[in-house]
């Protein structure tokens, strides 16, 4: 069923894969957390997930605190829909990510490593430290299971990789200015069309106000992930080669 990377299953464009989901009861050392939701009308799987997911995490944390155990999530939220007194059907949220499969020769890898070493050793102490942290945060985001943590990892990537950029207006302005230099677009267009301030407000609400708007998060995360990706490329001197997600945002009327 493909390669698992964080919350995604990865497949190449040319691959056709068969996915088979098999649910099993908890084994020794595992527990099932079940929440019964009685709804007067049809509720989508996304709406149900937004309700039961935070409750499940809260209950899991409470069990750890109350009993001194160490339980962690080991499976995605599973939705069982009762369609009759004696029958039901399973639904689950799974994400498939299409990624081109590439092959690299030895020379290309050697050139890449040499270019990185040259760029990294010429960074100042502060630039080097913040870049290393930003790169680690970005890698963490790729395998992060929780969408909230993934978003925060990506935003911190942007914060750290632009921390030494001088610009009026804080992180929003620093991000827009760096992207403008990298993508060869006016700063105002970058900031407005990519809605960088909104990306910042979402992260601010998560960290300071405990507001987690899951319905908006996925689309914004896709944009934020590409922004973080391009900022890191700029930091190590790699050119902007185009990004469909960002270009689509910029081309909106």
């Amino acid at each position: 069923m493909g390669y698992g990377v964080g919350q995604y299953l990865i497949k190449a464009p040319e691959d056709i894969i068969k996915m088979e989901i098999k649910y099993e009861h908890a084994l020794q050392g595992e527990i099932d957390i079940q929440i019964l939701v009685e709804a007067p009308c049809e509720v989508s799987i996304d709406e149900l997930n937004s309700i039961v997911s935070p409750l499940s995490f809260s209950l899991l944390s409470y069990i750890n605190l109350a009993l001194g155990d160490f339980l962690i999530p080991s499976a995605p939220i599973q939705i069982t829909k009762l369609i009759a007194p004696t029958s039901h059907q399973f639904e689950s949220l799974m994400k498939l990510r299409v990624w081109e499969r590439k092959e690299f020769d030895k020379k290309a890898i050697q050139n890449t490593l040499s270019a990185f070493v040259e760029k990294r050793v010429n960074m100042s102490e502060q630039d080097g430290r913040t870049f290393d942290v930003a790169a680690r945060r970005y890698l963490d985001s790729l395998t992060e299971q929780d969408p909230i943590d993934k978003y925060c990892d990506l935003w911190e990537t942007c914060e750290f990789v632009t921390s030494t950029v001088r610009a009026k207006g804080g992180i929003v302005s620093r991000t827009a200015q760096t992207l403008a230099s990298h993508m060869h677009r006016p700063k105002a267009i970058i900031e407005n069309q990519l809605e960088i301030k909104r990306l910042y407000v979402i992260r601010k609400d998560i960290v300071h106000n405990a507001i987690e708007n899951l319905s908006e998060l996925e689309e914004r995360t896709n944009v934020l992930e590409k922004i973080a990706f391009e900022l890191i490329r700029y930091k190590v001197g790699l050119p902007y080669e185009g990004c469909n997600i960002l270009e689509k945002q910029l081309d909106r009327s």
Side-chain angles (χ1 to χ4, degrees), residues 73-90:
S74 60
I77 296 293
Q78 302 159 15
I79 306 296
T80 304
K81 181 179 180 181
L82 301 178
I83 54 179
T86 58
S87 62
H88 60 270
Q89 67 184 38
F90 280 116

Side-chain angles (χ1 to χ4, degrees), residues 91-158:
E91 291 187 53
S92 186
L93 289 173
M94 302 188 71
K95 296 180 180 179
L96 194 64
R97 192 162 194 175
V98 179
W99 204 276
E100 181 183 358
R101 184 184 291 116
K102 296 183 178 180
E103 294 184 3
F104 305 98
D105 58 31
K106 183 178 179 180
K107 188 65 175 177
I109 295 174
Q110 288 175 333
N111 291 339
T112 299
L113 294 175
S114 297
F116 170 77
V117 170
E118 180 181 358
K119 191 70 178 179
R120 179 62 181 80
V121 299
N122 286 319
M123 289 182 183
S124 67
E125 180 180 353
Q126 184 179 3
D127 266 338
R129 183 177 67 254
T130 54
F131 172 76
D132 291 343
V133 175
R136 188 173 74 247
R137 289 286 195 278
Y138 178 72
L139 288 178
D140 287 344
S141 76
L142 297 180
T143 56
E144 179 56 63
Q145 300 284 350
D146 182 77
I148 300 297
D149 290 339
K150 180 183 179 72
Y151 190 93
C152 289
D153 281 340
L154 289 169
W155 184 259
E156 288 172 13
T157 299
C158 298

Side-chain angles (χ1 to χ4, degrees), residues 42-52 77-79 90-94:
E42 187 72 19
V43 181
S44 72
I45 185 173
D46 289 320
E47 290 176 298
L48 281 174
N49 186 63
S50 69
I51 297 170
V52 301
I77 296 293
Q78 302 159 15
I79 306 296
F90 280 116
E91 291 187 53
S92 186
L93 289 173
M94 302 188 71

Side-chain angles (χ1 to χ4, degrees), residues 19-245:
M19 293 193 298
E20 182 175 329
I21 303 172
K22 182 180 180 181
Y23 296 113
E24 298 179 350
H25 294 293
L27 303 175
Q28 184 175 2
E30 299 177 340
I31 65 170
D32 283 332
I33 295 177
Q34 299 182 10
I35 300 174
L36 177 63
V37 178
E38 184 176 354
C41 58
E42 187 72 19
V43 181
S44 72
I45 185 173
D46 289 320
E47 290 176 298
L48 281 174
N49 186 63
S50 69
I51 297 170
V52 301
S53 181
L55 286 175
S56 297
F57 280 107
S58 296
L59 178 55
L60 196 62
S61 296
Y62 177 79
I63 292 173
N64 281 329
L65 293 168
L67 302 181
D69 209 336
F70 185 67
L71 297 167
I72 59 172
S74 60
I77 296 293
Q78 302 159 15
I79 306 296
T80 304
K81 181 179 180 181
L82 301 178
I83 54 179
T86 58
S87 62
H88 60 270
Q89 67 184 38
F90 280 116
E91 291 187 53
S92 186
L93 289 173
M94 302 188 71
K95 296 180 180 179
L96 194 64
R97 192 162 194 175
V98 179
W99 204 276
E100 181 183 358
R101 184 184 291 116
K102 296 183 178 180
E103 294 184 3
F104 305 98
D105 58 31
K106 183 178 179 180
K107 188 65 175 177
I109 295 174
Q110 288 175 333
N111 291 339
T112 299
L113 294 175
S114 297
F116 170 77
V117 170
E118 180 181 358
K119 191 70 178 179
R120 179 62 181 80
V121 299
N122 286 319
M123 289 182 183
S124 67
E125 180 180 353
Q126 184 179 3
D127 266 338
R129 183 177 67 254
T130 54
F131 172 76
D132 291 343
V133 175
R136 188 173 74 247
R137 289 286 195 278
Y138 178 72
L139 288 178
D140 287 344
S141 76
L142 297 180
T143 56
E144 179 56 63
Q145 300 284 350
D146 182 77
I148 300 297
D149 290 339
K150 180 183 179 72
Y151 190 93
C152 289
D153 281 340
L154 289 169
W155 184 259
E156 288 172 13
T157 299
C158 298
E159 284 203 40
F160 291 131
V161 85
T162 63
S163 62
T164 58
V165 175
R166 293 186 178 182
K168 294 182 179 180
I171 177 59
V172 172
S173 184
R174 297 202 311 267
T175 300
Q177 180 170 302
T178 306
L179 284 174
S181 298
H182 180 52
M183 301 170 68
H184 309 292
R185 300 283 185 92
K187 177 184 174 183
I189 291 178
I190 291 287
E191 184 172 332
N192 294 331
Q193 293 297 93
L194 296 184
E195 298 178 309
I196 296 175
K197 186 174 182 179
R198 180 58 190 159
L199 299 177
Y200 164 72
V201 169
I202 291 173
R203 196 265 181 176
K204 182 180 177 182
D205 281 342
I206 290 171
V207 174
H208 298 292
N209 301 317
I211 297 174
E212 300 177 349
N213 187 350
L214 296 178
S215 62
E216 181 184 23
L217 204 62
E218 184 170 0
E219 179 183 355
R220 299 286 184 174
T221 299
N222 290 336
V223 174
L224 183 57
E225 184 174 26
K226 295 305 181 184
I227 288 176
F229 176 83
E230 294 299 341
L231 289 176
I232 293 176
R233 284 180 61 87
Y234 179 76
K235 190 73 173 181
V236 292
L238 294 171
Y240 178 64
E241 296 178 343
C243 171
N244 290 337
I245 290 177

